[in-house]
Amino acid sequence: MKLKKWILIFITFMIITSGIVGGFNVVVDPFGAFGDSFYNWFAYDMTNNPRASKIAYLEKHHNEYDSYIIGGSKTSSYSVDELNKYYGGAKFYNMIMYGGDMYDIELTALYIIKNYNPKNIIINIGVEEASVYNKDKTGIKNMLDWRVSGMNPIEYYGQYFLMNPEYSSDKINRLKEQGYLPSKYNVFVPQTGAYNKAARDSQAIGELDSYLTEYPGFTELLGNRRTATLDDMLGSISRVKAACESRGITHKLIVSPVYFRELLTYPKEDLTAFWTKLADVTDFWDFSGYTPISFEPRYFYDEYHFRNSVGSMVLSKIFGDNNIYKPDNFGFYVTKDNVAARAKNIFNNPQAYPAEKIYSQKVPVLAYHNIDNNASDFSGYAVTSEKFRAVMSSLKAAGYTTIFYKDLVEYVDNGKELPPKPVVITFDDGYMSNYDFVFPTLKELGMCATISVVGVSVGKDKYKDTDYSIIPHFSYAQAKEMYDSGVIDIQSHTYSMHDSEQYDADYRDGTLQKPGESEADYVRAFTEDLQK
């Protein structure tokens, strides 16, 4: 066979192979570059490259939004729901991007301003935006969408068309594993643009020493960075501001909270120059520098990213919401007139902002179930009325003050003050003895408790409408009487997720997933029970 024919066969083979690979990549679209029309799994695409996939998503959905907050990974801790509330019914989208510097932020903001007609733009930056500018964005995991970057679309799509098909195969495999909770392959909420932190925000946060043991990066952050790109960064901010003002778009600049060890990686003179020059370009809200937040690692997910609760503090400060807890000396509106004093103070005087060690209390929680005078002191789930009264009287004599669970929630979420030596008393299930003995005892002693009732058992002495006898439970009328007195708070202990292994053929162990039950069925059952 002639060489020319072999070459023709080889070229034909390569074209066919490339077409098959390219077609596979286009259909699966693991980076969302082609709009992910088949799988529509943008949570996965955004995890791979939010810079590209978010624009692809917004090309289909930008009419659903009228406002944008744009910035690097710290930006995700600002809730679009809270922004919508503070802006009086706006529809915000969170344009957080991994490692986004001010170059990326500017191009993204200018594209949105030009093409999506927004009403409000918020730019969020950290100190690092002054040290890195227009870093390498090559490669399918880092590229901006071609419409934003100005890249040749043939070159842009060509890279995703001919990428390693393993990326597409991985997406298909991960789709089989997709569950209700986020995973490392599925960390975004496409409808808001923010990280899905449902798992991270439910993790227990305990003593500081144990927290630092679990997250050692807080003690290892080192470096000596310079604000070498300050002028470039300021130029980008200036151009975004001008674009907003020329179109009547409201705009804000936020400088986010920073863990104190990150500040230590910069020379103080650089940070002072940063703030001074920034105030020449625009007024801004400043939450960086040394603050009570910056010295408390438990306010951060890691050494660079603050928790959603801190994002709520920031927004409540900006919008004057006094219902959200925030420490004193947190947040400052910076202008040309006050920047000199501000920069000198926040970067040179850490002793002025000690960690908020007082904002931490150990609160004991005593959990009870039933009062039964035939019981021994603490047998099983019952205690005698005499023993219960003795314990409550001892607590009162020792100076303890009972609080409701909801008081503890208000303390954590909103900084509501707790009394000295607080204690929470709880009862599960809603037994009649709670009404007969607990209620009058606590009322007499001037104490309170929270009772979490099983909804299906309220007012019943039979198990789930069977003939099986159970310990009698108080009624809704009795619950209301106790609740109205201010002595008892009523909460939920599920509607019907307290099965009996003896009486239930389709037994569930508490609120746990049944063996063999699909996650979708479990979520559905749990949701329906919660709604009841």
Side-chain angles (χ1 to χ4, degrees), residues 179-462:
Y180 182 77
L181 291 175
S183 69
K184 63 180 180 179
Y185 310 105
N186 182 20
V187 301
F188 278 92
V189 181
Q191 293 77 14
T192 67
Y195 283 139
N196 187 339
K197 296 178 181 175
R200 297 190 79 175
D201 281 344
S202 66
Q203 66 186 157
I205 301 174
E207 296 289 341
L208 180 58
D209 289 343
S210 62
Y211 194 78
L212 292 177
T213 300
E214 187 172 355
Y215 300 97
F218 283 108
T219 58
E220 297 173 355
L221 191 61
L222 300 171
N224 185 20
R225 295 181 287 182
R226 303 303 299 258
T227 56
T229 65
L230 183 55
D231 290 338
D232 290 326
M233 186 269 295
L234 294 173
S236 286
I237 290 176
S238 180
R239 288 187 288 273
V240 172
K241 177 185 177 184
C244 288
E245 291 177 345
S246 68
R247 292 168 173 80
I249 301 168
T250 69
H251 59 91
K252 280 185 174 64
L253 176 67
I254 300 174
V255 184
S256 281
V258 181
Y259 185 53
F260 83 99
R261 287 188 179 274
E262 184 180 352
L263 286 177
L264 294 177
T265 64
Y266 294 93
K268 292 180 181 178
E269 61 272 18
D270 281 16
L271 296 175
T272 303
F274 177 16
W275 259 239
T276 303
K277 291 186 176 182
L278 186 56
D280 283 336
V281 174
T282 184
D283 297 345
F284 61 95
W285 276 98
D286 176 30
F287 296 88
S288 69
Y290 295 118
T291 73
I293 296 295
S294 64
F295 290 98
E296 174 51 82
R298 288 170 291 184
Y299 278 127
F300 294 80
Y301 298 109
D302 54 50
E303 58 270 30
Y304 289 107
H305 302 100
F306 54 89
R307 291 184 174 272
N308 281 2
S309 57
V310 177
S312 295
M313 294 179 189
V314 169
L315 296 181
S316 70
K317 175 70 174 185
I318 293 173
F319 293 96
D321 183 355
N322 294 323
N323 294 315
I324 302 295
Y325 167 78
K326 48 199 163 291
D328 295 334
N329 300 316
F330 182 65
F332 195 83
Y333 190 65
V334 180
T335 68
K336 290 180 183 179
D337 296 331
N338 61 30
V339 66
R342 174 67 177 164
K344 180 180 179 180
N345 195 31
I346 63 171
F347 297 128
N348 293 288
N349 189 17
Q351 290 77 21
Y353 302 100
E356 280 198 299
K357 296 188 181 299
I358 59 168
Y359 188 67
S360 180
Q361 291 200 46
K362 291 183 177 180
V363 182
V365 179
L366 304 185
Y368 293 94
H369 287 75
N370 190 26
I371 302 294
D372 184 351
N373 287 327
N374 294 319
S376 58
D377 277 354
F378 286 104
S379 64
Y381 290 95
V383 61
T384 64
S385 58
E386 181 182 0
K387 186 67 177 180
F388 177 72
R389 173 182 280 276
V391 172
M392 295 301 107
S393 297
S394 296
L395 287 172
K396 188 175 181 67
Y400 282 92
T401 301
T402 51
I403 62 172
F404 292 127
Y405 249 133
K406 61 185 179 183
D407 296 321
L408 199 55
V409 172
E410 281 294 302
Y411 166 70
V412 173
D413 286 352
N414 299 324
K416 175 181 177 179
E417 291 188 15
L418 295 180
K421 301 180 73 172
V423 60
V424 177
I425 309 298
T426 73
F427 280 82
D428 285 352
D429 301 333
Y431 297 113
M432 191 67 194
S433 64
N434 298 172
Y435 178 78
D436 290 338
F437 297 108
V438 175
F439 175 41
T441 299
L442 294 177
K443 189 174 183 180
E444 177 187 336
L445 294 173
M447 303 173 77
C448 65
T450 298
I451 302 177
S452 298
V453 302
V454 179
V456 73
S457 300
V458 174
K460 303 290 181 61
D461 60 3
K462 299 292 184 181

Side-chain angles (χ1 to χ4, degrees), residues 14 28 37 106 132-134 140 170 254 299 326 388 443 497 499 523:
M14 292 301 295
V28 180
S37 299
E106 177 192 358
V132 178
Y133 188 84
N134 195 16
I140 54 178
D170 282 347
I254 300 174
Y299 278 127
K326 48 199 163 291
F388 177 72
K443 189 174 183 180
M497 282 192 168
D499 290 349
V523 169

Side-chain angles (χ1 to χ4, degrees), residues 499 506-509 512-518 522:
D499 290 349
D506 191 21
Y507 171 74
R508 181 187 300 280
D509 183 7
L512 300 179
Q513 190 171 352
K514 298 177 186 177
E517 182 180 31
S518 71
Y522 174 54

